[in-house]
Amino acid sequence: MSSEMRSLAVTAIVQAEECAVLRVSGDLDLRTEQAFLAEARSVVSAGHRFLVLDLTALRFCDSRGLSCLLALEWLCRRLEGRLLLASLGVRMLRLLVGTQSLSVFSCYPTVGHALATVPDASRPAWPPVAADPSDGKGDEDDKDGM
């Protein structure tokens, strides 16, 4: 497989003082585990002990990827936080069930459901706040763009 097909992207969607939502896209496997762990550890080290992973765009995860998630789960719990998995695809769900590790993780159907379990003081706004069109600013921006 080409290196393009075996890539991984971790994108911060929203962050609060103690919580971050990361979107994981691509493949989480032997080739990408070190990059994933480095990115995730840097987010946790910045004080985000509650970590929500949006797995909507995760195409593939093997046993090495699962080991990364287990390590991240351990790290968050050690800091009295939690790793929350959101929007798992069928393949990821099968991997967790097949390895009997589903009960280790906190899994939710959406990011919103996962964030609802984070303490209020630590929870970021979700969905991410966009310009409010009712305040008149959104309309001005639209007019400028035309």
Side-chain angles (χ1 to χ4, degrees):
M1 290 194 157
S2 73
S3 60
E4 287 179 25
M5 294 182 71
R6 305 297 291 178
S7 64
L8 179 79
V10 179
T11 308
I13 304 300
V14 66
Q15 298 181 20
E17 190 172 322
E18 293 184 311
C19 181
V21 177
L22 304 178
R23 178 167 295 134
V24 182
S25 308
D27 302 334
L28 182 52
D29 59 13
L30 173 66
R31 296 177 194 217
T32 60
E33 69 178 329
Q34 292 303 317
F36 172 78
L37 285 173
E39 182 67 28
R41 283 182 187 141
S42 72
V43 170
V44 173
S45 294
H48 301 101
R49 61 191 180 105
F50 296 97
L51 194 58
V52 178
L53 298 184
D54 177 357
L55 302 180
T56 304
L58 185 66
R59 290 185 309 240
F60 177 78
C61 183
D62 65 5
S63 61
R64 295 298 287 253
L66 178 59
S67 292
C68 290
L69 295 176
L70 290 166
L72 196 51
E73 166 70 17
W74 176 84
L75 178 60
C76 289
R77 290 214 182 255
R78 184 170 170 238
L79 298 171
E80 297 181 11
R82 292 174 59 201
L83 174 65
L84 309 164
L85 304 181
S87 303
L88 284 73
V90 173
R91 289 181 184 173
M92 187 67 196
L93 194 55
R94 284 183 186 152
L95 175 65
L96 296 179
V97 170
T99 58
Q100 297 181 358
S101 56
L102 183 61
S103 63
V104 173
F105 297 103
S106 299
C107 301
Y108 300 90
T110 66
V111 170
H113 285 96
L115 284 173
T117 68
V118 173
D120 291 341
S122 302
R123 184 182 316 140
W126 189 262
V129 179
D132 184 2
S134 66
D135 67 7
K137 292 180 182 176
D139 293 335
E140 289 173 9
D141 292 342
D142 289 343
K143 289 177 187 172
D144 292 339
M146 291 185 165

